[in-house]
Amino acid sequence: MGKNIVQKILERHLIAGELKKGAEIAIKIDQTLTQDATGTMAYLQFEAIGIPRVRTELSVSYVDHNTLQTGFENADDHRFLRTFASKYGIYFSAPGNGICHQVHLERFGIPGKTLLGSDSHTPTAGGIGMLAIGVGGLDVAVAMAGYPFYMNMPEIIRVVLRGKLNPFVSAKDVILELLRRLTVKGGVGKIFEYAGEGVKTLSVPERATITNMGAELGATTSIFPSDEITYAFLKSEGREKDYIELKADEDAQYDGEIEINLSELEPLIACPHSPDNVVTVKSVEGTPVDQVCIGSCTNSSYKDLATIAEMLKGKKIPSTVSLVISPGSKQVMETIDKMGYLKHIIASGARILENSCGPCIGMGQAPATGSVSLRTYNRNFEGRSGTKDAKVYLCSPETAVVSALNGKITDPRKFGEEIVISYPEIFEINDNLIFPPSENPESVEVLRGPNIKPLPIAKPLTEVLKGTVLIKVGDNITTDHIMPAGAKILPLRSNIPAIAKYVFHNIDETFHDRALKAGGGYIVGGENYGQGSSREHAALAPMHLGIKAVFAISFARIHRSNLINFGILPLVFENKDDYQKIDRDDELVMENYVDKLFKNEPIEVKNITKNFTFNVKANLTPRQADIILKGGLLNFVKSVS
Ligand code: MIC
Ligand code: SF4
């Protein structure tokens, strides 16, 4: 029987298990990446495992999320990350070099290899044919120590692309179309493998825009074949030696299929406050815009910025609009400069930011009260921009720039002539902000500042679990709701007691104090609890506050793993209706549940306050049950090594 691309890569990396849908498999990880907001914790965890050098083929530590340095905390983290990387065999990409996913595509990604990254948009590298998965920092730490990565074998869905995109319709519209059809839950437990003649019409950065936002579908990852287009991209990076061809066999089998006709797509836009709230640009045309932001790991490639520069040429941004551009990398910046595009952007009145995540993670450029912000980013969760009542829309660079020029949402097809941009034969390759690890690690001292607090360690679970429901939330709660980011909170990522003060802060400011006072308790959530970012702080900080279990209708993949990694039980209602019957402050008790965790049997929960019982399931593999009982993955790894 023929094989698809995902099966071919997994087969070459399989360490344990069988490639059968739903079965637990262990795979070898070739490369890892971290970014600063998740990296400090990941490296403290790696250090706690006690291995002198990373055991991967390549590990890279990027600084791109928090580069504002509003106080010493942030700068201390950067210094810690730089010295740690040097000592432990990790490449260091310094602040200003660019967004991890964009730089990884440019300088390190290799078709056919596996990549594990402590950032949910790690699947961006699927654009170059890598099997790239986003996870929590602890999973990356364990992979750096040479242990395999465990997951349940996802379903593999073939996405067949037919035809060719029309002018002013772009890769962003392809993934917005998928989000429109499938919603933010539609990809949970799935890998999307792209195929069909339409694939050949898309460059690597366009493919990467699509695989990047597969994260918003909740997918494990997304991947494109590696073909002559991939070869051309690697060649323009001076890395053609890294090329291998990757394609599915003619008779490859899949668990499902979706077809998209590129020729029929039109410009799309995600309305506030969810990436799947997608409509045609035409249908919201005329809405006045106050701010337009172009950048993020979704849309900040050379193609994106050269295109908008060409559109801005000789034009001026109206006084009512603030146009903000953050290039994806130093390479993109240097190349648009060399090719003569940068000057059109500057002349138009756009504001140019550092090559980093910037406003995407709420680091600056919070929109005005109640205003409309059009962004080429991937997430528009309420409050993520830094302004709670701002209305954030997600769209393509073409839609963003035409709308900026008109001061209102505009269908980019009205721009007129098709945009033609020129490409350099080779990009401006200048790796002077990438530092290889030291050859004399013994001589390197890891520098820590006062903001780097010791790792909190989970306490093993007790035989009887008793506690109160501290908060009850609805469906699609994001990790941004659980553990917000932004300029005030991000600097505290390596200081759990300090960051824990902000858990659920935008939903219920009293959560932290109540949790501390009660000595912990439970969280109750609806469907797809914990979607979005990979930040393990959304599990670590609740663990610090004594949360023992989360009861939900369903969980998002990365957050569920993070809960397990930190010894918190992810429990699913056997009967969905029981969700309705529980309220905040109810007291819940579970007895004799430990055996049931191992046998994956229903666990009975008594609601003492309301005097009824209901059943939940943890759906853990025996290995995961063991991790929870040992008080988390770190304790588990130490106990087996
Ligand atoms: C995000 O886009 O939310 C982030 C910031 O990149 C996160 C990681 C983090 O919270 O540090 C992600 O997507 O994983
Ligand atoms: Fe950075 Fe935004 Fe991409 Fe997250 S989604 S990695 S914050 S650019």
Side-chain angles (χ1 to χ4, degrees), residues 26 47 58 69 177 179 188 196 214 218 299 304-305 312 377 397 448 463 488-489 500 537 550 552 583 606 609 613:
E47 188 177 40
L58 172 92
Q69 294 167 227
E177 169 66 7
L179 277 153
V188 177
N299 277 120
D304 290 329
L305 293 203
L312 288 171
Y377 305 169
R448 295 158 216 262
E463 295 228 335
K488 194 160 124 203
I489 308 178
H537 299 73
V550 180
D583 290 300
K606 282 190 205 141
T609 316
T613 61

Side-chain angles (χ1 to χ4, degrees), residues 35 37-38 65 119-121 361 379 384 493 533-535:
Q35 38 89 343
T38 55
H65 277 61
D119 190 280
S120 61
H121 291 101
I361 184 66
R379 290 185 173 145
R384 182 174 160 104
R493 283 282 178 100
S533 148
S534 69
R535 60 191 72 155

Side-chain angles (χ1 to χ4, degrees), residues 33 35 55 66 85 100 115 143 164 221 249 260 272 325 331 421 431 442 481 487 542-543 565-566 584 627 633 640:
L33 72 78
Q35 38 89 343
R55 293 183 176 155
N66 189 358
C100 54
L115 168 70
K164 186 177 183 308
T221 190
D249 294 334
I260 297 183
I325 317 266
Q331 180 183 93
I421 57 164
D431 288 335
E442 316 74 42
H481 289 110
M543 174 196 95
N565 286 352
F566 294 102
R584 198 185 111 177
I627 291 175
L633 182 60
V640 295

Side-chain angles (χ1 to χ4, degrees), residues 169-219:
V169 184
S170 80
K172 183 63 158 275
D173 299 308
V174 179
I175 189 65
L176 287 175
E177 169 66 7
L178 263 186
L179 277 153
R180 189 184 69 77
R181 291 196 207 171
L182 304 180
T183 81
V184 291
K185 302 192 290 251
V188 177
K190 299 189 171 90
I191 296 182
F192 293 96
E193 179 175 315
Y194 287 82
E197 79 272 3
V199 162
K200 301 265 180 250
T201 67
L202 299 171
S203 64
V204 165
E206 290 173 293
R207 296 173 181 186
T209 294
I210 296 173
T211 57
N212 169 284
M213 248 185 124
E216 275 49 65
L217 293 165

Side-chain angles (χ1 to χ4, degrees), residues 355-416:
N355 315 315
S356 68
C357 299
C360 178
I361 184 66
M363 302 306 289
Q365 307 296 320
T369 310
S371 63
V372 169
S373 175
L374 244 61
R375 300 176 163 208
T376 67
Y377 305 169
N378 47 40
R379 290 185 173 145
N380 57 347
F381 305 144
E382 196 173 2
R384 182 174 160 104
S385 65
T387 305
K388 197 153 182 230
D389 63 359
K391 297 181 207 61
V392 178
Y393 292 73
L394 307 173
C395 62
S396 70
E398 290 84 347
T399 302
V401 78
V402 175
S403 304
L405 286 168
N406 286 343
K408 53 185 186 216
I409 298 182
T410 310
D411 189 321
R413 291 173 295 186
K414 296 215 169 122
F415 186 80

